[in-house]
Amino acid sequence: MKKIVLINILTLLILGIAGVAAFHFYDEATNYVKTDNAKVDGTQLTIASPAAGKLTSFDKKIGDEINKDDSIGEVMAQGQDGQPTKMAIKMPQDGTIVKTQATENGFVGAGTPIAYAYDMNDLFVTANIKETELEGIKEGQDVDIYVDGYKDTTLDGEVDQIGLATASSFSLLPSSNGNANFTKVTQVVPVKISLSKDKSLDILPGMNVTIRIHKN
């Protein structure tokens, strides 16, 4: 008798656990969209030479925070009268230098990138959502953001913008179904997710994240 009672109890426990698990998966599938195809992003600023010439100075380094229109270097270029003239290299927007590839006294072409910067106070997340999971996603929905580099920490976000074209539309070699061997591939649509202004992590552009969008 005791054995039968024990078996019944174990059976009820297993059924209860299975029921909870089934409800969890149903709830996740119905009320949320989750993907790890996402990263921290931002508007990349390209700092370039205004003219071809000799880079006579560039005194900025990685980590320097620079204001818009600040001079960050000079290039010696040929003026309209054919005489050498100094031209300032200016910061296009407020930002923090994240990479430099400037060589002082080296030659630079017009428009040649000298450094790259991001506004670290205006970072966001770009999540690539499968086209089959877009239904029900709307601007303004809450988003849970899990940064790979910071375990057990969740950031708050909000759906800011849903892309109007798939990611592959901007590929240098876009997919085509113009042959008999075409295999349909599920496309992804970039979704921009804004970060809460009170985020407490020192996140960086390019960091991997996992996101969960609250559909309801």
Side-chain angles (χ1 to χ4, degrees):
M1 180 65 69
K2 290 182 179 179
K3 191 172 183 180
I4 294 175
V5 171
L6 181 60
I7 291 174
N8 287 337
I9 291 173
L10 289 175
T11 301
L12 289 173
L13 284 174
I14 292 171
L15 289 175
I17 293 171
V20 170
F23 174 78
H24 172 75
F25 286 117
Y26 172 80
D27 182 61
E28 288 285 323
T30 304
N31 299 317
Y32 304 96
V33 172
K34 187 174 182 179
T35 183
D36 59 1
N37 186 359
K39 66 174 183 175
V40 178
D41 213 338
T43 302
Q44 187 182 87
L45 306 175
T46 302
I47 303 163
S49 173
K54 181 180 179 181
L55 184 65
T56 55
S57 70
F58 187 85
D59 58 356
K60 301 302 179 183
K61 61 183 183 298
I62 294 174
D64 285 349
E65 297 181 13
I66 307 170
N67 296 323
K68 179 182 178 181
D69 294 330
D70 280 358
S71 179
I72 59 177
E74 287 185 337
V75 61
M76 184 67 75
Q78 188 176 37
Q80 293 182 347
D81 57 359
Q83 297 298 314
T85 183
K86 287 185 177 180
M87 301 185 70
I89 301 171
K90 295 189 175 184
M91 189 73 173
Q93 297 289 338
D94 294 350
T96 300
I97 302 292
V98 297
K99 180 181 179 181
T100 66
Q101 50 193 37
T103 303
E104 285 195 13
N105 297 319
F107 178 84
V108 292
T112 299
I114 295 173
Y116 297 91
Y118 283 91
D119 183 351
M120 294 300 188
N121 296 315
D122 192 29
L123 298 180
F124 53 88
V125 168
T126 298
N128 293 306
I129 305 298
K130 293 179 181 179
E131 58 184 333
T132 54
E133 298 179 345
L134 272 179
E135 185 178 3
I137 295 179
K138 301 175 183 178
E139 293 180 6
Q141 290 174 329
D142 292 333
V143 183
D144 300 324
I145 301 165
Y146 312 95
V147 184
D148 287 10
Y150 295 92
K151 300 297 183 183
D152 303 320
T153 302
T154 305
L155 295 179
D156 296 324
E158 184 178 288
V159 176
D160 184 58
Q161 189 179 69
I162 300 171
L164 298 179
T166 64
S168 65
S169 300
F170 307 101
S171 172
L172 293 177
L173 296 173
S175 58
S176 172
N177 61 353
N179 62 72
N181 298 319
F182 172 72
T183 301
K184 182 180 288 187
V185 177
T186 300
Q187 301 296 307
V188 295
V189 175
V191 173
K192 180 181 178 181
I193 298 167
S194 61
L195 290 162
S196 172
K197 296 301 181 183
D198 61 355
K199 65 182 177 66
S200 59
L201 302 182
D202 294 325
I203 58 176
L204 303 173
M207 278 186 164
N208 291 319
V209 301
T210 297
I211 62 98
R212 188 177 73 158
I213 300 173
H214 297 240
K215 293 171 64 176
N216 297 317

